[in-house]
Amino acid sequence: MISTDLLARRERHFGPNAPLFYDEPLHMVRGDGCWMWDADGTRYLDCYNNVPQVGHCHPHVVDALCRQAQRLNIHTRYLNEVVLEYAERLTGLFAPPKLDRAMFVCTGTEANELALRIARHATGKSGVIVSDFSYHGNSGGLAVLTTGLPRPEPLADFCRPVTIPDPFQWEGSQQDMVDTHLTMVDEAIASLDQAGFGVAAVMFDTIFSTEGLLDVPSAYVQGVAERVRAAGGMFIADEVQPGFGRMGDAMWGFERTGIVPELVTMGKSMGNGHPLAAVVTSSALADAFTGDALYFNTFGGNPVSAAVGNAVLDVIEQEALMQHAAELGQYLQDRLREVAERFDCAGDVRGRGLFAGVELIGPGKRPDAAMARAVINDMRNRHVLVSKIGPADNVLKIRPPLCIDRKEIDLLAETLSKSLKALTR
Ligand SMILES: Cc1ncc(COP(=O)(O)O)c(C=O)c1O
């Protein structure tokens, strides 16, 4: 039972609008691997959290954090080997040699802000194209580009949202879908040019998670990149959600699209829960920007964060978690498809690696947000945690820590099946 006292205290200090997961909120006190325990000692399988990428409280990461915190923590204006080692390892994760500079920050928001500043500086333009249901951060500069969350600010006049192709809902050929959506990009570019902004960048989450984990054809992403570049702009790949091996077949989401972005942003999983984020770009772009702007970040790239980042990479390598994400991701898709075949309301199972979506629908593929809400709450009551996403709020979002095993995936699939059965009786 959640303490009403705790809820009241939270409301007193955070106010009534601070979001909480689930109709019956959870009070978590401990984590280990894919599991979390609440204050009553009940164990929950965490199939939602993509931040503890290598598992909650991984001992190697915790140990690295503690050891560096005991030794020294400072900013990057002193020479320090830990952060240099991390920068070398991080840029080494990019196959194309062009992405050779790392700039450290503390959150995905800051990374996207910095990437936009660099793109604007390099292009001399200010316009930005985003998807029409997206989220890239909570700063003033990004709030005015936010189309996927409520915001009091009006959308910026230099922003043009475009609709992302949704193959599940599209009635027609794939070619037609891609062409139709690329025409919208042409229109957005023309409109930005006409308004005098020009296009500095397109910013896409390369797994299109907020959009409902859409299975977007590579031809679309390539077409967008070509058009934006022809107009003098850049491609910013927001890897905050797909990055660090979750896709299984690639370290970064953009790799599966066949494009190489000018700027890549990352955060969340990078520090396994510790606030660590970065922009990776070319030395040409980074140096041109830092030549004109004295860019500095007090906490970004401090040795404790860098030690954590190194430890996360150690675990990804030593436990072969990317390969594990590929194998277990296939198993996850198979198990979810078996469940979906038995329930009409489970219209589509999609995703990549250990990032899966299940689209819940009514007759005529009508999005069923009420069912999605009921399912995540019912599963929570059965001690398995997932969430929901998408413009119609009807896609189950499943992103466990990468260390999940087959038995745990079986438990997830069986629990989803039980919930769907109970709710469709
Ligand atoms: C795709 C994407 N980009 C950026 C962000 C912002 O990251 P942060 O909350 O670390 O500022 C988020 C956060 O949810 C995100 O999902």
Side-chain angles (χ1 to χ4, degrees), residues 151-225:
R151 54 173 161 73
E153 299 91 344
L155 198 68
D157 51 3
F158 53 77
C159 174
R160 295 291 179 280
V162 293
T163 303
I164 306 299
D166 177 350
F168 176 64
Q169 292 287 353
W170 181 260
E171 309 281 347
S173 73
Q174 173 162 316
Q175 187 63 51
D176 192 26
M177 176 180 76
V178 170
D179 291 346
T180 305
H181 287 79
L182 286 177
T183 303
M184 297 178 203
V185 176
D186 289 332
E187 286 164 5
I189 292 171
S191 160
L192 283 172
D193 278 340
Q194 214 171 17
F197 298 115
V199 191
V202 57
M203 183 181 278
F204 278 168
D205 164 2
T206 55
I207 188 76
F208 299 100
S209 165
T210 305
E211 294 85 342
L213 202 66
L214 301 178
D215 196 7
V216 176
S218 296
Y220 171 74
V221 181
Q222 287 165 8
V224 173

Side-chain angles (χ1 to χ4, degrees), residues 156-370:
D157 51 3
F158 53 77
C159 174
R160 295 291 179 280
V162 293
T163 303
I164 306 299
D166 177 350
F168 176 64
Q169 292 287 353
W170 181 260
E171 309 281 347
S173 73
Q174 173 162 316
Q175 187 63 51
D176 192 26
M177 176 180 76
V178 170
D179 291 346
T180 305
H181 287 79
L182 286 177
T183 303
M184 297 178 203
V185 176
D186 289 332
E187 286 164 5
I189 292 171
S191 160
L192 283 172
D193 278 340
Q194 214 171 17
F197 298 115
V199 191
V202 57
M203 183 181 278
F204 278 168
D205 164 2
T206 55
I207 188 76
F208 299 100
S209 165
T210 305
E211 294 85 342
L213 202 66
L214 301 178
D215 196 7
V216 176
S218 296
Y220 171 74
V221 181
Q222 287 165 8
V224 173
E226 275 163 25
R227 282 161 173 75
V228 167
R229 284 171 179 156
M234 302 192 160
F235 195 104
I236 301 174
D238 181 334
E239 296 286 340
V240 165
Q241 298 221 31
F244 290 96
R246 179 166 291 278
M247 305 293 91
D249 55 358
M251 186 59 77
W252 311 106
F254 74 79
E255 289 177 277
R256 53 186 274 261
T257 67
I259 66 143
V260 180
E262 279 81 6
L263 295 132
V264 183
T265 61
M266 61 203 75
K268 284 199 196 276
S269 53
M270 194 171 176
N272 214 49
H274 183 84
L276 172 60
V279 175
V280 170
T281 186
S282 63
S283 37
L285 279 179
D287 297 352
F289 177 73
T290 51
D292 285 341
L294 196 164
Y295 181 78
F296 167 65
N297 192 307
T298 300
F299 298 121
N302 71 72
V304 172
S305 299
V308 168
N310 273 319
V312 170
L313 293 183
D314 290 343
V315 180
I316 291 175
E317 278 166 32
Q318 285 159 15
E319 298 183 12
L321 286 181
M322 194 166 115
Q323 195 189 335
H324 183 76
E327 286 165 19
L328 275 278
Q330 187 56 55
Y331 187 66
L332 172 65
Q333 290 282 322
D334 292 346
R335 291 302 325 260
L336 291 175
R337 288 216 164 88
E338 274 165 38
V339 175
E341 271 165 23
R342 286 185 277 120
F343 297 93
D344 290 343
C345 67
D348 192 32
V349 175
R350 53 184 181 253
R352 205 167 189 100
L354 283 170
F355 202 150
V358 181
E359 179 151 357
L360 298 178
I361 52 165
K365 289 194 187 173
R366 184 180 42 74
D368 194 344

